[in-house]
Every structure is written in structure tokens, then in C-alpha cells.
Amino acid sequence: MRPVARGAGSRRRFLARAAALAGSVAAAGCGGVASPRGNAHTWLEPMFGLSGAILTDRVHSTGQPLPGGNEIYLSFMFPVAAVASQGALFVADAGHGKLFRYDRGSGLMAAVPGVRIAAGSKLDAGTDGSIYIMDAMGGEIRRHSMHGAPVLVMHPRLPSSRYLAFAMEAASGRVFAVDSVHKMVDRIEPGGRVALSYLELDRPGPIAIDGTALWVADAECGCVREWRNGGFVRRLASGKLRLPMGLVAERGEVYVLDGFDRSISRVFEGGLETVAPADLNLVSPQHIFVSNGIMYVADGASRSVAVFRIRRHPS
């Protein structure tokens, strides 16, 4: 498909944008992905899905995609992560090797310049709109502003270190990263470039932060461990997890993505509240992210990102 010229006509452009926006809500688009779905027995309520959007080369200085540029509908190839930040949705697509910023209001998206995405890339978002990108092969975490400008490169503690996962502490801006080689959680200060050792682990796994609580999923105990101020507090769902590959926490609730069957679970002290991918019209989720009670799921195999509202557990 060739890019649409700037003077191609307002009607054709309007129809293209309308189709893209409808596709984002129904999650159809060029990829043919069905809408995310739920039922009365699940705690994830489907909102919309995205399998692609109109890509534009015209952006505001803040990075927001703008109409009036060269535009072409682009389907995702293999999304490996997705995060929401200050009204924008960022999608890391390892198939295209790019990080895209999507604006749901206009139905437009733009590639963030200077960012290379690979299969092991992971994302997180800061409260100031910064996007943090982990390079699993290079062992670095890079911080970018919302409009894509590089702000900081966070190097690992040792040359041999390799980060498996990381999480942001919203209150302080610190980054905590799991070193899979040395079985440590490293701490990186907001303006720091070099990590310091913070917590020793029995077995490395995905990490999440919620207020003062630091959570680490551990495949050996099949559980999620809670730590506060460097001290162990408790285990959740002991013996229930099989191969944790993603962990997020918000407002006292903890959620895990299991790499064994790609199920998504809400974690309790006594067990799990699990939803199978098929129950949500997903195939093989790669990453989960939660913000303001909304869960974003990057599903590489179905070439889409699905968005769900979380029905909180009754207190």
C-alpha cells in the first residue's frame, strides 16, 4: 500500500480515519482480530482492542500524532509490550522493531524516533509521562520523554548483569531492576546512571511496585513475595504459579501473567483468580500493564493490544 498524498481529498482521509477508529474500538482492523470479550464470571471487562492504526509522519513537538502528513494504515506485527501514559498509548512492536505512540481521539499513531524494539524489550511509564525501555540483550534501561527524546541511560551494576524485568516507584522515581545473572534486585536513583544492589533473591522473576510494597514473582515457590524497605513480609498464592512472566500491582491488587498457559490472574494470599486467554479472545499475551484500573494486554500472536477495565475485588 502506498502512502496517501497530502492532497488526496478530505473525504478519503475522513473515511480512513473513521475506519481506523472503528477498528480500534472493535479490535478488527487489517489483522482480523476479534473483539476482546469477557463474561459475568471474569473480573476483566473488555473496553476496546487495537490491531493497527493510521501511521502519520507529522507530529507535534510533544510527540502527538497530527493529521496532514503522509498517512498509511499499518497493522501491528508482534506487539511485545504496551503502556498508557497521560492519554497516549505506547505499543512496542518487535515485528516492526519500533515503538508507536497511538492517539485514540484522532485514530492516528506515529513511530517514536530513535527507539529500537526487540523481542525482549519491556516498557514502563513514569508519572511525568516518561517512557522507560528495557533492552534485554544490552542490559540497559533507557528513559525517553513522551515525544521520544532520550533523557537517560541506566547502566547495569556489573558488565555481566542482565536485566530480566524492572518497575518504577512512582513516589520517588526510582527504578528497581531484576538482575537474572546475579539474582539481585538493583536500585537506580532518578538521576543515576549506575545501579546499586538492593535485594538478594532466591530466584529472579518479574517485579512490581505498589506504594511502598515491592513484589517479586518466584517460580521456585510458585508464589509472589512481598517486600517492604528491604524486608520480607509475606507470600501470596504459594505453590499456585507455574511460569510467571509478567507482574503488575495497583491499589493493593496484584496481577500476574503466567508464561505456562498465558493466563492472567489476580493474586491473593490463598490462591489465584485466573482468566484463560481464550475467555478474553486472546492467543498468547506477552505483557500486561495496569494504570488507573485499566489493564493493557499486548498479544503478540494475535497482533493486537486489548484493553480491559478491572472489576475490583469487593473489600
Side-chain angles (χ1 to χ4, degrees):
M1 186 183 297
R2 299 172 65 182
V4 179
R6 294 193 183 196
S10 60
R11 175 176 172 81
R12 183 163 38 164
R13 183 168 291 159
F14 172 80
L15 291 173
R17 285 197 194 127
L21 185 57
S24 73
V25 176
C30 294
V33 180
S35 305
R37 67 171 183 241
N39 57 58
H41 303 292
T42 66
W43 46 272
L44 290 173
E45 176 186 349
M47 294 180 62
F48 70 95
L50 187 70
S51 58
I54 295 177
L55 183 71
T56 179
D57 62 356
R58 184 168 181 257
V59 297
H60 191 267
S61 59
T62 60
Q64 180 183 5
L66 295 175
N70 293 316
E71 299 173 1
I72 181 173
Y73 187 90
L74 186 72
S75 296
F76 296 138
M77 290 182 65
F78 198 83
V80 293
V83 300
S85 179
Q86 297 191 1
L89 176 62
F90 291 85
V91 179
D93 192 314
H96 289 292
K98 295 182 180 296
L99 176 66
F100 297 108
R101 173 175 170 166
Y102 172 70
D103 179 9
R104 192 182 178 196
S106 67
L108 296 173
M109 72 178 180
V112 178
V115 176
R116 178 67 185 172
I117 297 298
S121 297
K122 289 182 170 60
L123 301 182
D124 205 348
T127 54
D128 63 349
S130 297
I131 302 300
Y132 294 76
I133 305 163
M134 189 193 81
D135 177 5
M137 296 299 294
E140 293 179 341
I141 298 171
R142 296 177 178 267
R143 178 185 171 197
H144 291 255
S145 66
M146 281 195 73
H147 57 275
V151 177
L152 184 68
V153 178
M154 301 175 178
H155 300 288
R157 183 169 46 89
L158 299 170
S160 57
S161 297
R162 285 296 178 269
Y163 288 146
L164 170 73
F166 75 103
M168 279 277 309
E169 186 178 60
S172 67
R174 294 188 182 106
V175 171
F176 292 83
V178 177
D179 182 347
S180 60
V181 175
H182 301 283
K183 298 182 180 180
M184 294 288 299
V185 174
D186 290 347
R187 187 186 72 193
I188 309 171
E189 296 298 321
R193 296 179 179 273
V194 180
L196 301 173
S197 59
Y198 176 74
L199 181 69
E200 188 173 355
L201 301 174
D202 294 330
R203 182 165 177 172
I207 188 173
I209 295 176
D210 183 23
T212 60
L214 185 151
W215 306 88
V216 182
D218 186 336
E220 186 171 343
C221 70
C223 69
V224 177
R225 300 178 190 264
E226 179 185 358
W227 302 79
R228 290 180 186 267
N229 300 317
F232 174 72
V233 178
R234 58 173 175 158
R235 293 184 181 89
L236 300 183
S238 187
K240 303 294 184 181
L241 301 183
R242 287 171 289 188
L243 188 63
M245 65 177 294
L247 191 69
V248 288
E250 186 184 59
R251 302 175 186 174
E253 292 194 344
V254 181
Y255 315 94
V256 65
L257 171 63
D258 197 316
F260 180 82
D261 58 3
R262 304 303 171 116
S263 62
I264 300 171
S265 299
R266 181 156 48 188
V267 185
F268 299 98
E269 199 153 0
L272 305 172
E273 190 175 358
T274 300
V275 184
D279 292 337
L280 302 172
N281 249 19
L282 302 176
V283 179
S284 182
Q286 303 290 313
H287 177 263
I288 57 175
F289 175 80
V290 173
S291 177
N292 296 320
I294 306 296
M295 180 177 288
Y296 301 82
V297 183
D299 187 359
S302 70
R303 304 168 64 182
S304 67
V305 175
V307 183
F308 303 90
R309 180 174 287 106
I310 298 171
R311 297 184 180 123
R312 287 182 58 82
H313 193 269
S315 300

